[in-house]
Amino acid sequence: MLWGAHIGSLELRTDGGETRLRASFPYGRETVLAEGIGAGRERREMIAARAFADRLERGEDVHFLSGHDFNKPLASRSAGTLTLTENDDALTIEATISADMGQVSYVRDFLTANAAGLVRGLSPGFRVRPGGETVEERGNAILRTIKAADLIEISAVTKPAYPQAQIEARNWQPIGEVAKRLTHRPAAIRWR
């Protein structure tokens, strides 16, 4: 599985104990995956419009994860907590984290790191379909364009490969309420 990331935004809103996330992953933007060092060639990548359409249209499961870690799911299509839609401009992600999930340690860690500005990027994990990419030379660079890939997961990360894929968080509760919710750790779910 490959990982990439793209400029977009992730907006977090907390209402009634659940957190709603909305993100956008724009298509058609190039990024530098490896700079040309010495006589080496720069390697660039771009994800074309609707590159993930086949798997999305079939309704297959996709997960929203913290840091590409399948042991840290935040939402999924099969659980009914993740909606993915796309058009020619972007893939749009809408996820809901329930109040109960908000009490899980890694979810609290994600929400706290995001609030602190440490987790700001989006990165899709995907498998390129046979014949689903083109590679071309552009001056002293090589550009790989992903035209068809199976989206397996999309993650919130600290440093995305696509610098444009940045998370923006918005807090819609008073500071005291958010701080109380993020620091409250009931004894029943505390690790010992």
Side-chain angles (χ1 to χ4, degrees), residues 8-14 19-22 110-121 166-172:
S9 64
L10 177 64
E11 178 182 304
L12 291 131
R13 295 181 187 197
T14 303
T19 301
R20 295 176 190 223
L21 304 100
R22 182 171 166 83
F110 160 70
L111 294 171
T112 301
N114 180 270
L118 300 173
V119 176
R120 292 289 188 194
Q166 297 299 308
I167 293 173
E168 295 175 8
R170 291 194 178 142
N171 180 350
W172 296 91

Side-chain angles (χ1 to χ4, degrees), residues 118-141:
L118 300 173
V119 176
R120 292 289 188 194
L122 290 173
S123 179
F126 57 89
R127 286 189 197 103
V128 177
R129 298 176 67 92
E133 66 184 339
T134 59
V135 178
E136 62 184 278
E137 293 185 39
R138 283 199 177 169
N140 196 32

